[in-house]
Amino acid sequence: MANVSVMKKPKDTKGALRRILTYLANYKLLLLLIIVLCVVSNILALLGPNLAGDAIGTIEEAGIGKAAVGKVNFDRIWYYVKCMLVVYVASSLLTLLINVIMVRVSKLVARNMRRDVFNKLMRLPVGYFDRNPAGDIISRVSYDIDVVSTCLATDVVSILTSVVTVVGSLIMMLKTSLVLSIVVVITIPLSVCYTMWMRKKTQPRYSKRSKNYGVMNGFVEEMLSGQKTIQAYAYEDKVCENFDKVNHAAAEAYYDAEHYGISIGATMGCINNISLALIAMFGATLYMLGAASLRQISKFVLYSRKFSGPINEIANVINELFSALAAAERVFKLLDEPEEVTDSPNAKVLENVKGHVELEHVSFGYDPDRIILHDLNLNAEPGKLIAIVGPTGAGKTTIINLLMRFYDVNGGRILVDGGEIRDYTRSSLRGAYAMVLQDTWVFQGTIFENIAYGKENATMDEVVRAAKAAHIHSFIMRLPDGYHTVIGEDGGNISKGQKQLLTIARAMLYDARMLILDEATSNVDTGTERQVQKAMRELMRDKTCFTIAHRLSTIQHADNILVVDHGDVVEQGTHESLMKQKGFYYKLYAAQFD
């Protein structure tokens, strides 16, 4: 089970924000339009308090008491009311248009980010996927980018609107009453200091929340993929118990982040109310001293609310912005992962492959401090079948990874047709091999598409020929739509053995001079296995084949058998010669039949 770890405070928040802005920069015209509309919308909204103050001033001019009622110019008041209605409706319509445009921009940004992340995943070395759980990677592609997209769709407009409103309101307050403006400005440093202090508290917690959500997704993905095994061992209760721990950690991280986050808005509201109380006290004093009119005070109070409201809104938005930045940093961390080492400038395309493979004094370790293979030597001549056998963990699959250059050797070299594989382009090297792995992979699509995968413009006749050779043609013809039958994601509606036969047919169809088989027939019955082995042997004529086998009975006809133990080739030769030696291979073979 994955361990829940606490993620430290993000190292480069400004960098994450800057990189988000680079995505937004692709839509400069739309952003410029949003800014213009936002300024116009808020200017219209800022006219409202001025018009309301003028309406109150009209009443004030009529005097105080019942006698003044008849002197009030109601036509003028209704004029101000109608003007207020126009400016507020126009402002609301513009705000709606701004939100519609920003939602579109955020959707485009999210699309571009997901495209970049997926393209990056296609360029990452195999080692990255060995080190990181699939659920955490999926969480970055889906959840984290969704958080960023939501922030752009709602919070960016809120911040922009709030900034324009705050600046406009401050200008209008200074114009209305300098003395009362000083009262408001006194509370601003308190708000800023509190927000900065809370930023240091909340942002690490949002990073931890994103991390724990990734851990939880990884755990769920892992458990769902092993559901049959869980039920077979009646391990459901223990899995639920383990999930409770992971879920509890994620919920605690969410609560911890939100606990601090929601307190920002409440505290800022309290500070704003203190500011309003001070305005009311000093405003009343100025009015009694005749230093301010009711018109001025009413305008100022309305503008102060306009001023304080966005500050409170910004405080709440900053809470969500921190969450988005933490999520964005996880996405950008993936984008910054080192890719596979690029081909050398003088790399050649491997063409006219003969299939002569040599390993000379190869040493390798996934961790350079822990070497797995030691001074490995091998000479595989074209058209020969090389079997690699040995106990679990001996290094058999590691040899295959090195042949395909999923990893580069730490020492020694690997040659194909006399050329060092690092002197060839990766795509041409890997294209020279066809692979059938023990862990079969099929995708949602037709049977035809799954077999033809990897060979462009494959015909139906070629696919049928490969399926017959793999002894799966009769099964396919019994399906409702034959070769056009759609199989589910990961082949959920066919058996594991049938999936493996499909991948064998795929490899047979692929025109490659070298073939890698990693327990390729482990999921089929013995009778079918013999038929498939015979057919594959015929189809592999003049092709170099590397096969990893645990059932030693299947590789007795191999031209050379490599016996690997603890990273060393302890024996090699034909089946007959190795049996005569009565060494390590003999013991392995005898153990299977004893």
Side-chain angles (χ1 to χ4, degrees):
M1 186 191 76
N3 292 324
V4 180
S5 59
V6 177
M7 193 178 198
K8 296 181 180 179
K9 180 181 176 181
K11 297 178 180 178
D12 191 12
T13 300
K14 292 181 181 178
L17 181 59
R18 186 164 53 248
R19 293 178 69 170
I20 290 175
L21 292 176
T22 60
Y23 279 95
L24 289 170
N26 295 323
Y27 309 100
K28 294 177 183 177
L29 292 179
L30 286 176
L31 290 175
L32 181 61
L33 177 61
I34 288 171
I35 292 171
V36 171
L37 291 176
C38 189
V39 171
V40 173
S41 172
N42 283 277
I43 288 175
L44 289 173
L46 287 170
L47 291 175
N50 195 58
L51 292 169
D54 289 338
I56 293 172
T58 301
I59 298 173
E60 183 184 25
E61 291 169 1
I64 301 174
K66 293 182 179 180
V69 176
K71 300 177 183 179
V72 176
N73 187 343
F74 284 102
D75 290 336
R76 192 175 177 187
I77 291 175
W78 279 114
Y79 168 76
Y80 289 130
V81 170
K82 285 185 284 187
C83 288
M84 289 172 63
L85 182 63
V86 170
V87 297
Y88 280 133
V89 169
S91 176
S92 298
L93 291 175
L94 289 176
T95 300
L96 177 61
L97 180 60
I98 291 168
N99 288 327
V100 169
I101 296 173
M102 198 62 212
V103 166
R104 175 170 175 76
V105 170
S106 68
K107 179 185 72 174
L108 294 172
V109 168
R111 181 198 66 184
N112 293 343
M113 289 184 74
R114 283 200 174 92
R115 178 200 61 205
D116 291 347
V117 169
F118 191 83
N119 290 343
K120 178 72 176 186
L121 291 173
M122 295 299 102
R123 299 192 298 270
L124 289 176
V126 172
Y128 178 82
F129 301 97
D130 291 339
R131 296 189 306 270
N132 294 275
D136 185 61
I137 297 173
I138 293 170
S139 180
R140 298 185 194 212
V141 177
S142 57
Y143 172 75
D144 289 331
I145 292 180
D146 278 343
V147 171
V148 175
S149 176
T150 302
C151 175
L152 293 177
T154 57
D155 300 338
V156 170
V157 173
S158 297
I159 291 175
L160 186 59
T161 301
S162 298
V163 169
V164 174
T165 302
V166 166
V167 173
S169 298
L170 182 59
I171 293 172
M172 295 303 292
M173 285 192 297
L174 291 170
K175 182 180 177 181
T176 303
S177 174
L178 182 61
V179 176
L180 292 177
S181 297
I182 294 173
V183 174
V184 174
V185 170
I186 290 173
T187 61
I188 293 178
L190 181 61
S191 301
V192 173
C193 292
Y194 173 75
T195 302
M196 292 179 64
W197 179 73
M198 285 301 294
R199 172 187 173 277
K200 295 179 181 179
K201 292 283 187 182
T202 56
Q203 191 149 348
R205 287 172 167 81
Y206 281 116
S207 296
K208 179 183 174 183
R209 184 180 75 172
S210 293
K211 176 68 175 178
N212 283 3
Y213 268 74
V215 171
M216 183 176 68
N217 288 339
F219 180 85
V220 171
E221 190 271 340
E222 186 181 73
M223 293 303 105
L224 289 178
S225 63
Q227 187 63 23
K228 290 182 180 178
T229 303
I230 292 170
Q231 292 180 343
Y233 283 89
Y235 209 67
E236 295 93 338
D237 292 340
K238 185 64 177 177
V239 168
C240 290
E241 181 182 329
N242 292 338
F243 176 74
D244 284 342
K245 295 176 183 177
V246 176
N247 188 31
H248 178 74
E252 284 297 311
Y254 179 88
Y255 170 78
D256 194 28
E258 292 300 316
H259 170 71
Y260 277 88
I262 60 176
S263 66
I264 296 177
T267 305
M268 291 298 295
C270 179
I271 295 173
N272 292 332
N273 287 331
I274 292 172
S275 174
L276 184 62
L278 292 173
I279 291 170
M281 183 178 68
F282 282 97
T285 303
L286 291 174
Y287 180 76
M288 287 187 293
L289 295 174
S293 65
L294 190 60
R295 180 198 300 262
Q296 286 178 294
I297 295 172
S298 59
K299 283 184 180 182
F300 194 90
V301 170
L302 291 173
Y303 278 121
S304 70
R305 298 306 292 172
K306 280 277 186 184
F307 179 82
S308 62
I311 291 180
N312 193 33
E313 180 67 23
I314 289 175
N316 290 324
V317 168
I318 286 175
N319 173 32
E320 297 175 7
L321 183 63
F322 290 160
S323 175
L325 288 175
E329 199 163 44
R330 277 167 48 83
V331 174
F332 294 136
K333 184 180 179 183
L334 189 155
L335 289 173
D336 291 337
E337 287 287 338
E339 299 179 6
E340 276 193 323
V341 178
T342 56
D343 296 325
S344 63
N346 300 321
K348 301 173 293 185
V349 175
L350 181 57
E351 297 178 314
N352 302 318
V353 182
K354 296 181 178 62
H356 186 196
V357 180
E358 299 172 87
L359 280 72
E360 297 181 350
H361 306 289
V362 168
S363 62
F364 173 76
Y366 295 103
D367 182 347
D369 296 329
R370 297 179 62 188
I371 300 300
I372 298 174
L373 299 178
H374 313 90
D375 194 32
L376 177 63
N377 292 279
L378 169 67
N379 182 25
E381 296 180 357
K384 300 298 183 180
L385 172 59
I386 309 299
I388 306 171
V389 302
T392 301
K396 302 185 296 298
T397 301
T398 300
I399 296 174
I400 301 302
N401 287 336
L402 295 178
L403 290 175
M404 293 290 290
R405 208 184 163 197
F406 290 144
Y407 295 89
D408 282 327
V409 297
N410 297 125
R413 60 180 188 159
I414 301 175
L415 299 94
V416 174
D417 292 347
E420 218 277 342
I421 61 173
R422 284 174 286 198
D423 294 334
Y424 296 123
T425 61
R426 272 193 176 84
S427 58
S428 64
L429 173 68
R430 292 171 182 172
Y433 289 94
M435 289 188 72
V436 180
L437 303 177
Q438 184 176 5
D439 295 328
T440 56
W441 178 74
V442 295
F443 55 89
Q444 185 164 355
T446 65
I447 296 285
F448 174 86
E449 291 169 341
N450 270 276
I451 296 177
Y453 186 83
K455 183 171 183 180
E456 193 173 357
N457 301 320
T459 65
M460 178 61 77
D461 288 340
E462 291 174 324
V463 170
V464 170
R465 195 179 307 122
K468 286 181 178 179
H471 294 270
I472 195 172
H473 173 72
S474 58
F475 162 74
I476 295 172
M477 296 309 295
R478 291 196 299 270
L479 295 173
D481 298 314
Y483 284 86
H484 299 291
T485 301
V486 176
I487 58 177
E489 184 180 352
D490 197 30
N493 51 352
I494 61 176
S495 73
K496 197 168 185 178
Q498 290 158 349
K499 282 194 294 182
Q500 196 154 45
L501 291 175
L502 283 179
T503 61
I504 291 171
R506 180 192 298 161
M508 289 178 170
L509 179 63
Y510 188 66
D511 186 19
R513 298 296 302 168
M514 296 181 289
L515 183 62
I516 291 175
L517 307 172
D518 186 356
E519 282 296 312
T521 56
S522 61
N523 293 311
V524 298
D525 62 87
T526 305
T528 303
E529 180 184 44
R530 289 173 179 167
Q531 292 176 316
V532 172
Q533 289 279 1
K534 183 179 179 181
M536 289 178 67
R537 188 63 178 158
E538 185 65 28
L539 289 172
M540 289 188 302
R541 188 185 301 275
D542 299 326
K543 295 181 181 180
T544 307
C545 179
F546 297 89
T547 179
I548 294 176
H550 289 291
R551 288 188 286 192
L552 302 185
S553 60
T554 64
I555 48 94
Q556 293 181 18
H557 58 283
D559 298 296
N560 189 19
I561 299 175
L562 242 67
V563 185
V564 184
D565 185 33
H566 295 97
D568 295 314
V569 177
V570 294
E571 295 174 352
Q572 62 176 307
T574 63
H575 173 73
E576 290 77 12
S577 65
L578 292 174
M579 290 296 289
K580 288 178 182 178
Q581 293 179 24
K582 294 192 175 181
F584 195 83
Y585 178 82
Y586 177 85
K587 293 177 181 178
L588 287 175
Y589 192 84
Q592 290 193 6
F593 291 93
D594 284 344

